[in-house]
Amino acid sequence: GAGVSQSPRYKVAKRGQDVALRCDPISGHVSLFWYQQALGQGPEFLTYFQNEAQLDKSGLPSDRFFAERPEGSVSTLKIQRTQQEDSAVYLCASSLWQSGLSGNTIYFGEGSWLTVV
Amino acid sequence: AQKVTQAQTEISVVEKEDVTLDCVYETRDTTYYLFWYKQPPSGELVFLIRRNSFDEQNEISGRYSWNFQKSTSSFNFTITASQVVDSAVYFCALSEGDSSYKLIFGSGTRLLVRP
């Protein structure tokens, strides 16, 4: 597709349930990012991949959060034993080159809206 | 420490008015990037502009203009002759040279343009 695609768009999970959120970056994009956006707040960085390598996972809030990008394309963010505080929009983003280079624009998807009840 | 402050939580204007969204940032790096993104109700963050710390030239793109002032650590965004379609949440963001892949966002300004 033309943009970053995320699924599911909406997910309601019962507390304690595991969830998996999928991201299809723009074709050919080297860098992939996950951000978490709580209601009424700006997005916060979770993790960064360059191809299949996870170069930074410092933003993952706990060991219940796990992200992977095994073939350097599609990525999955997994949350185990969900809790109410995990309710947020999870945004995926991608960019063409390794991040930080001048001219490297980061493109975001529409997000996966997770509600934990 | 790095930080982005958008002091205006919500702004309401009537169509055709000009409106300025404020952004103040904090960083110790000499190399950094500043961004503005628009988030319509659909949720997608739409890229508007990126500026690096060595380029203080103001920029105009149609009805949008940006004023970057290092002396006041501000990167303000002005919409001229606002339209209803401009209604959205606008985020200012910062990334620093050492970890320029990591965007630090402000809390956003919700802009409502009334017909």
Side-chain angles (χ1 to χ4, degrees):
Chain A
V4 177
S5 178
Q6 295 188 242
S7 61
R9 287 278 283 128
Y10 304 95
K11 175 71 178 177
V12 178
K14 291 185 178 178
R15 196 166 58 134
Q17 188 178 353
D18 295 350
V19 300
L21 308 176
R22 176 188 168 103
C23 173
D24 272 285
I26 296 172
S27 179
H29 277 200
V30 166
S31 295
L32 184 143
F33 314 84
W34 284 98
Y35 282 77
Q36 179 190 57
Q37 185 177 16
L39 190 64
Q41 299 297 315
E44 293 190 355
F45 171 83
L46 293 178
T47 187
Y48 161 51
F49 289 86
Q50 185 176 310
N51 295 308
E52 69 279 3
Q54 189 175 21
L55 299 187
D56 187 340
K57 54 181 181 179
S58 62
L60 295 176
S62 77
D63 58 9
R64 295 186 295 103
F65 287 72
F66 172 75
E68 60 182 7
R69 192 186 186 198
E71 296 177 1
S73 178
V74 170
S75 175
T76 304
L77 176 66
K78 297 179 179 177
I79 309 173
Q80 297 177 323
R81 304 180 303 282
T82 52
Q83 300 177 6
Q84 283 192 317
E85 60 262 32
D86 299 335
S87 296
V89 178
Y90 291 87
L91 293 162
C92 179
S94 69
S95 64
L96 182 59
W97 304 314
Q98 65 185 58
S99 205
L101 296 179
S102 179
N104 196 28
T105 299
I106 298 175
Y107 297 92
F108 283 81
E110 292 183 323
S112 290
W113 299 56
L114 173 65
T115 302
V116 181
V117 297
Chain B
Q2 61 274 41
K3 186 179 177 182
V4 175
T5 301
Q6 295 180 256
Q8 303 150 308
T9 305
E10 188 165 326
I11 300 175
S12 180
V13 299
V14 176
E15 205 170 20
K16 298 183 183 175
E17 283 186 15
D18 298 348
V19 57
T20 295
L21 309 181
D22 297 334
C23 174
V24 174
Y25 62 92
E26 293 177 31
T27 179
R28 291 180 181 172
D29 275 17
T30 54
T31 302
Y32 54 90
Y33 301 87
L34 295 164
F35 305 78
W36 276 95
Y37 281 86
K38 174 182 180 179
Q39 189 172 46
S42 63
E44 181 179 358
L45 280 167
V46 178
F47 169 81
L48 296 178
I49 191 171
R50 177 190 56 252
R51 255 292 173 265
N52 74 56
S53 52
F54 300 108
D55 182 3
E56 278 193 83
Q57 261 193 326
N58 291 330
E59 180 153 341
I60 297 174
S61 175
R63 296 184 298 107
Y64 295 170
S65 62
W66 291 269
N67 185 316
F68 177 25
Q69 291 197 339
K70 289 177 78 170
S71 61
T72 55
S73 297
S74 65
F75 186 45
N76 296 338
F77 172 32
T78 297
I79 302 174
T80 303
S82 60
Q83 300 176 2
V84 172
V85 293
D86 296 328
S87 297
V89 181
Y90 290 86
F91 290 97
C92 180
L94 163 74
S95 70
E96 297 176 317
D98 284 350
S99 54
S100 56
Y101 55 84
K102 191 183 295 187
L103 295 177
I104 300 151
F105 285 86
S107 55
T109 296
R110 181 177 299 278
L111 174 64
L112 175 63
V113 182
R114 294 170 280 128

